Amino acid sequence: ASIGFHGSSIKDTNGNVLPALVVLLGGGKLKDGDGLIAEKVIKIPSKRGPDAMRLLLSNYEANSTEGEYFHSFYARMGGRKYFYDVLKPLADVSQTTPQEYIDWGGEDKYKLETAVGECAGVIIDLVSTLFLESEEKLTLAEEAHQEGRYGDAIYHSYSAFLNTAKALLLDENVKPSTHIQIINDFQKKFVENGKVNVADFGSLVLQMNKEKPSPSFASRYREESKAFLEEVQSIRAQKHKLQAV
């Protein structure tokens, strides 16, 4: 990403821990297919994330040339050193407020733990991000189908299946690391007990291994993946609605 935030922690001058964000800048996708990896620039208290974004965008608005992408602007302005100086005032933890010890979406004083999406709070909701990626994959599947790239369309739908399943697993604090683990864990956690209306998740997802990449299968597989995403999103929304009540 041209501008990114990664959850972390930081200590004030008295040794107390605050939730923090590492600011990463300068990444980008280039026209020739190459890419740029963002650089870690600075670490700031998490509640100062919006201020960091305002500073970056104001600087870009004031100093960029017409049509200049942020990654090009980042390099031209001097890269990491320049933007470190721009953001350095936000990293000063000699003066803090009580709210800066409470993470985004939290109510109590921050406690350092290891968890999915932890530290970045509502700025980074990993489950919602996976759902968005599934929607993006399904859009790519439709585009590939229209262009006659049926193998690509099928693979994008397959990726959407896995992203969607992984999202619901992470929402239950289950953290699979491989495709087969996602399939097996989802079957055990949600299918076998009837929480999701699927007879056999593995058979549904892996039918791509048995079918040729035809227009009809690519279309049907994409619709099945889309229906699965909608059902899972509904299940998660209902779960959190009940928790709120």
Side-chain angles (χ1 to χ4, degrees), residues 66-90:
E66 185 174 352
E68 186 176 30
Y69 285 102
F70 190 91
H71 61 77
S72 299
F73 170 70
Y74 173 82
R76 180 172 63 81
M77 295 299 289
R80 184 180 181 278
K81 185 180 185 307
Y82 173 82
F83 285 93
Y84 177 88
D85 291 337
V86 169
L87 297 172
K88 187 177 180 180
L90 295 179

Side-chain angles (χ1 to χ4, degrees), residues 26-43:
K29 182 179 179 181
L30 306 181
K31 291 181 179 179
D32 58 7
D34 288 335
L36 298 169
I37 303 298
E39 294 182 309
K40 295 180 180 179
V41 175
I42 200 168
K43 186 187 292 187

Side-chain angles (χ1 to χ4, degrees), residues 24-242:
L24 301 102
L25 301 175
K29 182 179 179 181
L30 306 181
K31 291 181 179 179
D32 58 7
D34 288 335
L36 298 169
I37 303 298
E39 294 182 309
K40 295 180 180 179
V41 175
I42 200 168
K43 186 187 292 187
I44 61 174
S46 208
K47 288 294 180 70
R48 301 179 190 179
D51 291 330
M53 181 63 81
R54 292 187 188 97
L55 271 176
L56 291 168
L57 294 181
S58 295
N59 193 292
Y60 173 76
E61 184 178 35
N63 298 307
S64 63
T65 60
E66 185 174 352
E68 186 176 30
Y69 285 102
F70 190 91
H71 61 77
S72 299
F73 170 70
Y74 173 82
R76 180 172 63 81
M77 295 299 289
R80 184 180 181 278
K81 185 180 185 307
Y82 173 82
F83 285 93
Y84 177 88
D85 291 337
V86 169
L87 297 172
K88 187 177 180 180
L90 295 179
D92 181 5
V93 290
S94 60
Q95 298 293 327
T96 56
T97 66
Q99 280 299 312
E100 289 181 322
Y101 293 86
I102 301 173
D103 207 353
W104 289 104
E107 297 178 356
D108 301 318
K109 188 174 180 180
Y110 177 75
K111 180 180 179 182
L112 182 61
E113 296 177 344
T114 300
V116 175
E118 185 267 329
C119 297
V122 296
I123 287 183
I124 302 174
D125 180 346
L126 184 54
V127 174
S128 295
T129 299
L130 286 169
F131 283 149
L132 288 172
E133 288 181 358
S134 292
E135 292 171 359
E136 182 182 53
K137 295 295 184 184
L138 290 171
T139 298
L140 291 173
E142 184 175 2
E143 292 174 353
H145 188 276
Q146 292 174 351
E147 295 170 3
R149 296 183 289 109
Y150 305 120
D152 290 342
I154 291 166
Y155 187 76
H156 288 314
S157 297
Y158 166 79
S159 298
F161 265 123
L162 293 180
N163 269 353
T164 302
K166 185 176 181 179
L168 200 57
L169 286 167
L170 289 177
D171 200 48
E172 295 287 332
N173 205 32
V174 179
K175 306 169 187 176
S177 58
T178 65
H179 288 191
I180 195 63
Q181 281 184 322
I182 293 172
I183 292 171
N184 292 340
D185 288 349
F186 193 87
Q187 179 73 21
K188 182 177 180 180
K189 188 76 177 178
F190 297 106
V191 177
E192 291 179 1
N193 56 19
K195 291 183 178 179
V196 175
N197 186 28
V198 174
D200 187 318
F201 185 59
S203 297
L204 176 64
V205 175
L206 297 177
Q207 59 182 311
M208 62 174 287
N209 293 335
K210 300 178 181 179
E211 297 277 353
K212 292 183 179 180
S214 64
S216 59
F217 175 66
S219 178
R220 174 168 61 82
Y221 193 58
R222 184 181 73 252
E223 290 304 313
E224 290 171 340
S225 185
K226 181 180 178 182
F228 177 68
L229 171 61
E230 291 172 350
E231 181 181 2
V232 167
Q233 286 177 316
S234 177
I235 290 169
R236 193 207 183 204
Q238 184 63 25
K239 171 191 170 184
H240 288 277
K241 181 179 180 181
L242 291 172

